[in-house]
Amino acid sequence: MRVLFFCLLSAIAALPPNLALSQHQVVRVVDGDTLTIAGERIRLFGIDAPEKSQPCLNGDGAQWRCGIWAQSRLQEIVALGPLRCDALSKDRYGRTVARCFADGKDVAAEMVASGAAFAYRKYSLDYVGVEKEAFLKQRGIWSGKAEAPSSFRAKGTTTTDKTCRIKGNISSGGKIYHMPGQDYYEQTRIHTGKGERCFETEAQARAAGWRAAKR
């Protein structure tokens, strides 16, 4: 994954202590709407990009990996120039919700304009107009059909596990539990028929034989 440098141009005093970073920090693009800057998880305000495991349909009805493409598009945008992120709040997963600007351009707006993300109406209407233009010009996800990421994520848990907080997944690597905010948390799907389950606490997960996923 491309390594970028983060230049904090906003006033340090205006940011939470955990965002008081030095001038040069490594930036990692987690997915189409999430960055990690020097270990701090940043969720872009006002947009929702397809999950990395999420497919879309193009104009011919063929599937394409729109989630991976959205991640790649965000990499391109943050590489435009110096990156500034203004913290707004914390979400329920402990991530910092922020507006970010690359070379003075609103990163979230650029994502929506290129059809790489949806305007997240649940939290903001700031990018609805930009989304409409991308839709009319059939850019990115609007070239065919795309499911709202929130709907795609909702399919990841069983109807009896709507409040699933810690996800116990079973894979070739064994029994692994995923915590909110970790890289693969949102795209992890729970299939109770395979023995997968949700947990309320880490202690509960460990006692049942699951181990923590690496961040």
Side-chain angles (χ1 to χ4, degrees):
M1 184 172 292
R2 185 181 300 171
V3 176
L4 307 172
F5 288 99
F6 172 73
C7 181
L8 188 65
L9 301 181
S10 57
I12 295 298
L15 300 180
N18 58 5
L19 275 187
L21 306 174
S22 60
Q23 276 196 317
H24 299 289
Q25 299 289 355
V26 175
V27 175
R28 184 166 69 90
V29 174
V30 177
D31 55 32
D33 51 38
T34 311
L35 305 167
T36 298
I37 303 173
E40 180 72 25
R41 188 63 61 91
I42 308 294
R43 178 65 161 84
L44 295 176
F45 171 76
I47 69 170
D48 200 15
E51 298 296 329
K52 285 193 291 188
S53 60
Q54 184 175 341
C56 294
L57 299 179
N58 63 22
D60 297 323
Q63 278 196 359
W64 63 289
R65 301 180 69 185
C66 58
I68 295 296
W69 174 73
Q71 180 187 29
S72 177
R73 181 67 187 123
L74 182 55
Q75 289 174 330
E76 294 172 353
I77 293 171
V78 297
L80 291 174
L83 184 67
R84 183 187 91 230
C85 290
D86 300 328
L88 301 176
S89 63
K90 287 278 189 179
D91 69 10
R92 59 177 176 164
Y93 304 125
R95 298 175 298 189
T96 296
V97 179
R99 290 185 186 274
C100 293
F101 302 86
D103 196 28
K105 297 180 180 179
D106 186 331
V107 173
E110 292 293 311
M111 286 293 290
V112 176
S114 59
F118 293 78
Y120 209 173
R121 290 169 171 78
K122 180 178 179 180
Y123 297 103
S124 171
L125 300 179
D126 289 8
Y127 303 109
V128 171
V130 180
E131 181 188 79
K132 182 177 181 180
E133 182 180 357
F135 172 78
L136 291 175
K137 294 185 177 180
Q138 298 184 325
R139 295 173 180 160
I141 56 178
W142 305 114
S143 63
K145 293 183 179 180
E147 183 179 16
S150 57
S151 297
F152 180 78
R153 291 192 294 269
K155 297 175 181 178
T157 57
T158 64
T159 55
T160 58
D161 287 320
K162 289 181 180 178
T163 59
C164 186
R165 192 177 83 82
I166 300 175
K167 299 180 180 181
N169 181 242
I170 301 176
S171 66
S172 58
K175 295 182 176 181
I176 300 173
Y177 66 84
H178 300 266
M179 297 287 293
Q182 290 183 320
D183 286 357
Y184 299 101
Y185 178 81
E186 292 186 349
Q187 57 260 53
T188 296
R189 306 293 181 243
I190 300 300
H191 303 284
T192 56
K194 292 170 53 180
E196 297 176 337
R197 51 180 294 195
C198 296
F199 299 98
E200 294 181 0
T201 66
E202 286 191 80
Q204 185 183 66
R206 289 193 294 267
W210 266 260
R211 59 184 174 84
K214 295 181 180 179
R215 279 192 170 274

